[in-house]
Amino acid sequence: MRTVEWHAGKVRMIDQRLLPAEFCQIDLEDVAAVAQAIRDMAVRGAPAIGATAGFGMALAAHTSPADERDALLADLERAANVLLATRPTAVNLAWAVKRTLRRAEAADSADAIRTALLAEAQAIADEDVTINQRLGAFGAALIPDGATILHHCNTGALATVDYGTALGVVRAAHEQGKRVHVLVDETRPRLQGARLTAWELQQAGIPFTLIADNAAGHFMRTGQVDVVLVGADRVAANGDVANKIGTYKLAVVAKENGIPFYPCVPTSTVDLDLPTGDDIPIEERSADEVTGITFHGQRVVPEGVRAANPAFDVTPHRYVTGIVTENGVAYPPLAMTLARMVKESQ
Ligand code: MRU
């Protein structure tokens, strides 16, 4: 089953806010609803957001009353801006919006635009699955039999259209018969690890142990981690990596302990227009995500407490052992090897 798909003229997605308690799909009928779903994280994970934005553009074309090509293109520009304003860090969103807009501009009538946009959105979604499978095969070659893998956030089928990036690597290693064990970071404050990664690994029958984020350093220092695998929301041209908040700490501790640290990304996550990670916009989410937690049914944080909630951090490229892509593993000097990987996809 796909995380997001086109279904009977609507955008259908798994509502990830309800997992693991409830598995439910929602059908979205206009671009405002798609934007809201991305903002609220009914759908999340960089590649899944990209595919959703592609379908959002197709939906905008289908729901627009415009008869003329230029009027439809103007509606699509507006839809693009609505989608682009949802979440700033994952570059896949802007990448998919630009890709669909380019395709629309090449069509010569309103009808042709509508047909072309749906085909392009479908291609983005289909490619995502095959890209992840290729990436998984390259990554699995790095995983020794019997390895313990530390993983942060959720990078599985739910974060993509299907299969996953870093968790796709885990899945591929498992499918090859390697014995792997995953240490799953809870990933506060939204708990994508505890809720979504634990759920996916359970479904796939891959052995794992859930740990509090604060325990990761202990497991690394005491020799209980062989490799750290994460996804990414944007990789700058020099190999700096923006990913879920907490990733930077993992990378530093991994290097301190001689443990390889591999971000696993489709090349659509690499932003060659940004020279370094300092230029990556970091999403600041609502303080409620931090303060609203409950324990034994009770609110944990006193009312009125101020909280900061950056959703991502940047890991400088010196902590990166290599970046696994669908075109192979990019090793330092990343500025050179990443550019080559991206070019191979064009
Ligand atoms: O805030 P989220 O849940 O969208 O953040 C997701 C991540 O940080 C993932 O690691 C990243 O998008 C890569 S998913 C294949």
Side-chain angles (χ1 to χ4, degrees):
M1 177 174 297
R2 291 190 167 198
T3 298
V4 57
E5 62 191 347
W6 184 260
H7 180 79
K10 297 175 188 155
V11 179
R12 173 169 281 189
M13 62 177 65
I14 298 169
D15 188 343
Q16 300 188 36
R17 295 166 297 192
L18 306 178
L19 283 170
E22 207 179 310
F23 182 91
C24 156
Q25 288 177 302
I26 48 177
D27 288 337
L28 307 176
E29 299 188 13
D30 59 35
V31 74
V34 173
Q36 192 58 27
I38 296 173
R39 204 177 295 112
D40 276 0
M41 295 173 65
V43 63
R44 32 69 46 205
I49 293 173
T52 303
F55 284 129
M57 291 297 287
L59 188 60
H62 277 70
T63 52
S64 163
D67 294 325
E68 302 297 328
R69 178 183 178 276
D70 287 352
L72 182 50
L73 285 178
D75 280 352
L76 288 175
E77 279 293 340
R78 276 187 287 276
N81 289 332
V82 169
L83 291 167
L84 289 171
T86 52
R87 297 194 73 191
T89 306
V91 73
N92 307 60
L93 194 155
W95 170 86
V97 166
K98 275 187 214 146
R99 182 169 154 176
T100 47
L101 270 182
R102 260 200 319 270
R103 180 81 186 259
E105 279 154 11
D108 56 10
S109 71
D111 280 350
I113 289 176
R114 289 188 173 93
T115 309
L117 268 194
L118 184 52
E120 195 68 20
Q122 193 59 53
I124 289 172
D126 293 344
E127 283 166 22
D128 183 67
V129 183
T130 52
I131 282 171
N132 291 337
Q133 286 164 342
R134 275 164 49 201
L135 185 163
F138 281 118
L142 303 169
I143 308 297
D145 184 31
T148 297
I149 300 159
L150 181 65
H151 177 269
H152 195 57
C153 197
N154 172 266
T155 65
L158 290 167
T160 59
V161 176
D162 202 355
Y163 205 74
T165 58
L167 276 187
V169 170
V170 172
R171 198 184 287 271
H174 176 75
E175 284 166 0
Q176 290 170 4
K178 289 181 179 167
R179 288 159 303 151
V180 291
H181 188 97
V182 187
L183 287 178
V184 175
D185 265 5
E186 279 183 317
T187 320
R188 295 203 180 200
R190 299 270 317 199
L191 296 166
Q192 290 94 328
R195 295 189 305 109
L196 307 176
T197 298
W199 183 78
E200 280 197 41
L201 290 174
Q202 213 168 42
Q203 303 261 321
I206 299 173
F208 69 96
T209 304
L210 180 67
I211 61 169
D213 297 333
N214 290 338
H218 164 75
F219 281 100
M220 286 197 264
R221 196 191 65 77
T222 53
Q224 298 183 70
V225 176
D226 297 299
V227 54
V228 180
L229 296 182
V230 296
D233 287 77
R234 195 182 301 224
V235 178
N238 69 345
D240 292 352
V241 174
N243 190 47
K244 180 51 55 194
I245 194 76
T247 302
Y248 169 48
K249 263 194 333 194
L250 295 180
V252 174
V253 179
K255 184 161 182 143
E256 161 77 10
N257 290 281
I259 299 166
F261 173 83
Y262 291 105
C264 307
V265 306
T267 49
S268 54
T269 301
V270 181
D271 186 352
L272 294 180
D273 292 338
L274 290 191
T276 77
D278 295 340
D279 307 309
I280 298 176
I282 299 294
E283 177 182 7
E284 182 75 27
R285 292 190 63 84
S286 162
D288 294 347
E289 292 183 351
V290 179
T291 58
I293 48 165
T294 55
F295 189 62
H296 294 319
Q298 301 281 342
R299 191 182 156 91
V300 171
V301 181
E303 293 288 351
V305 165
R306 198 168 44 206
N309 188 15
F312 301 96
D313 59 26
V314 172
T315 299
H317 61 89
R318 66 179 175 278
Y319 295 106
V320 173
T321 307
I323 298 184
V324 184
T325 79
E326 74 273 23
N327 295 328
V329 185
Y331 287 104
L334 290 167
M336 213 173 73
T337 52
L338 272 178
R340 203 176 60 225
M341 300 284 164
V342 172
K343 207 164 164 210
E344 277 177 33
S345 291
Q346 285 162 352

